[in-house]
Amino acid sequence: MKLYSYFRSSAAYRARIALNLKGIAYETISIHLVKEGGLNRRPEYRAINPQMKVPTLVTPNGDVLIQSLAIIDYLDETHPEPPLLPKDPIARAKTRGLAQIIACDIHPLNNTAPLRYLKREMHQEQSAIDAWYHHWVIEGFQAFETLVRPGPYACGSAVTIADIFLVPQVANARRLNVPLDDFPKIVAIDAACLKLEAFDRAQPLNQPDAE
Ligand SMILES: N[C@@H](CCC(=O)N[C@@H](CS)C(=O)NCC(=O)O)C(=O)O
């Protein structure tokens, strides 16, 4: 498989964790999201992923998959071990709910494209952009923190998509100096996950394109 990735992209980080958990070998193709206004905006990459975001996964058959959640679902369906969701429908829905706090309600407001728009098109000061970033992370993390009981992972003794989505968001929050003192359960889950080789190997600084 081929993964179009950028070391700092938390959405690509999710896909890297899932690939590692499943033991799937993959080639990383780095797409620099900052250099020259973002190499993801070049026509060559747009032809692969019209949304011009990472990650993009290319399967051995040449199928091109976009969106980290869809990619992770595909990996889970085609490589069922270890499962990334519990079997029980209620537990599955709760696990998906946790992952979606991050995927749907934190990350879309806070990733490169909206932050760049706030700066360039809305002419906001960096301090206002930082406040925006912190606000949405803290609001989402407050809900996540209330809903979990580390066991040691977000949904018990097995890693799930809730962990796969949480750990990259925590890395981003740390990079942007969001205080995590009010989130001891999140910090504990993050630490438990990062002890696993699959998470550690997926970390931004362990990527071939890390700067
Ligand atoms: N919902 C998408 C989000 C993908 C996304 O926003 N990726 C960011 C990096 S984390 C990106 O490629 N941004 C570049 C841009 O939009 O210009 C997913 O889960 O895959």
Side-chain angles (χ1 to χ4, degrees), residues 63-81:
D63 291 304
V64 178
L65 305 181
I66 66 164
Q67 288 286 341
S68 61
L69 190 51
I71 289 170
I72 292 167
D73 278 347
Y74 161 79
L75 294 174
D76 208 24
E77 285 161 10
T78 52
H79 297 75
E81 292 302 324

Side-chain angles (χ1 to χ4, degrees), residues 2-15:
K2 287 185 192 161
L3 184 72
Y4 289 85
S5 177
Y6 176 57
F7 76 108
R8 237 180 225 143
S9 156
S10 61
Y13 188 176
R14 300 167 189 160

Side-chain angles (χ1 to χ4, degrees), residues 6 8-14 31 33 37-38 40-41 45 49 51-56 66-71 103-104 107-108 111-114 116 165 172:
Y6 176 57
R8 237 180 225 143
S9 156
S10 61
Y13 188 176
R14 300 167 189 160
I31 299 293
L33 297 184
N40 55 315
R41 305 207 156 255
Y45 187 61
N49 180 341
Q51 215 190 353
M52 298 180 284
K53 293 180 185 295
V54 293
T56 302
I66 66 164
Q67 288 286 341
S68 61
L69 190 51
I71 289 170
C104 305
H107 184 262
N111 68 67
T112 2
R116 197 188 295 133
F165 279 71
N172 260 2

Side-chain angles (χ1 to χ4, degrees), residues 110-128:
N110 278 359
N111 68 67
T112 2
L115 296 185
R116 197 188 295 133
Y117 190 85
L118 284 174
K119 190 171 198 97
R120 293 195 190 154
E121 316 297 327
M122 309 298 284
H123 310 293
Q124 295 300 308
E125 299 291 336
Q126 192 56 45
S127 57

Side-chain angles (χ1 to χ4, degrees), residues 7-9 13 16 171 200 202-211:
F7 76 108
R8 237 180 225 143
S9 156
Y13 188 176
R16 297 193 299 257
D200 181 49
Q203 290 201 70
L205 290 177
N206 293 337
Q207 299 317 298
D209 57 344
E211 290 167 359

